[in-house]
Amino acid sequence: MMDNVESVYALSPMQVDILLRTLQAPGLHEYVEQATWTLRGPFDPAAFAAAWRNAAARHPVLRTAFYHQGLDHPVQVVRRGVEVPILAGDWRGASPAEQEERWRRLLRDERERDFDLGAAPLLRVHQVRLADDAYRFVLVYHHLLMDGWAAMLCVREVLESY
């Protein structure tokens, strides 16, 4: 495990608060965040995955995990390398109403899905094909990593790189 560690940092006071609240209320999921967007036109999943790999390589926060057990003070550990999970779905055979229902269910289920705070990355991406030329995406991440503003900057950078 230590061979994949780039850096170890103390948490900011806000991160300590978020970590403690997360640990004290498992199942609450108030710090699971989501950013969504839609793309129309040709789409290359391999190039999209490469853009996420590049973002993770550039930004240590996207490679960060959090440790607290057995420690006097929690720490954030930056991994040298991680793979951003990109989960793909193809809903082209579903009606628009069924696609919308599936989308709402996906967002709800992802909001309720826990992160293992000790396993970087604390984010995942879903890409859903709605039509031959339409895709919908959701970035799911833990607020320990970033806020909504930073998440949208990250998404913008990934899309520009893509």
Side-chain angles (χ1 to χ4, degrees):
M1 178 173 101
M2 293 305 292
D3 59 333
N4 190 25
V5 173
E6 179 177 298
S7 302
V8 178
Y9 299 106
L11 276 62
S12 71
M14 181 173 279
Q15 285 176 309
V16 170
D17 183 54
I18 291 170
L19 178 64
L20 291 176
R21 290 179 61 138
T22 298
L23 296 173
Q24 290 169 351
L28 185 57
H29 311 294
E30 74 178 286
Y31 293 109
V32 175
E33 306 287 346
Q34 298 175 338
T36 64
W37 67 97
T38 302
L39 290 179
R40 299 204 180 279
F43 177 69
D44 181 349
F48 183 71
W52 276 104
R53 275 192 303 279
N54 292 338
R58 277 192 310 277
H59 300 291
V61 71
L62 300 181
R63 294 178 274 121
T64 298
F66 295 82
Y67 292 90
H68 61 92
Q69 291 182 328
L71 301 175
D72 291 337
H73 304 284
V75 295
Q76 49 187 322
V77 175
V78 178
R79 300 289 180 198
R80 281 194 183 93
V82 299
E83 191 68 29
V84 174
I86 300 176
L87 304 125
D90 189 339
W91 298 349
R92 287 180 289 181
S95 70
E98 186 179 351
Q99 287 177 349
E100 192 58 36
E101 175 57 33
R102 285 183 182 181
W103 184 250
R104 284 193 301 271
R105 192 173 338 132
L106 173 68
L107 294 178
R108 183 196 66 228
D109 291 350
E110 278 299 316
R111 189 155 191 69
E112 295 174 357
R113 188 172 153 202
D114 286 325
F115 281 101
D116 176 354
L117 299 180
L122 299 180
L123 59 96
R124 52 191 171 262
V125 178
H126 284 268
Q127 68 185 42
V128 177
R129 191 170 194 178
L130 302 175
D132 289 343
D133 65 344
Y135 291 80
R136 211 169 198 184
F137 301 84
V138 60
L139 167 64
V140 184
Y141 60 96
H142 200 285
H143 194 71
L144 277 166
L145 296 183
M146 57 189 156
D147 61 12
W149 179 78
M152 290 314 299
L153 290 176
C154 178
V155 167
R156 185 174 74 192
E157 179 180 322
V158 166
L159 293 177
E160 288 172 355
S161 172
Y162 163 76

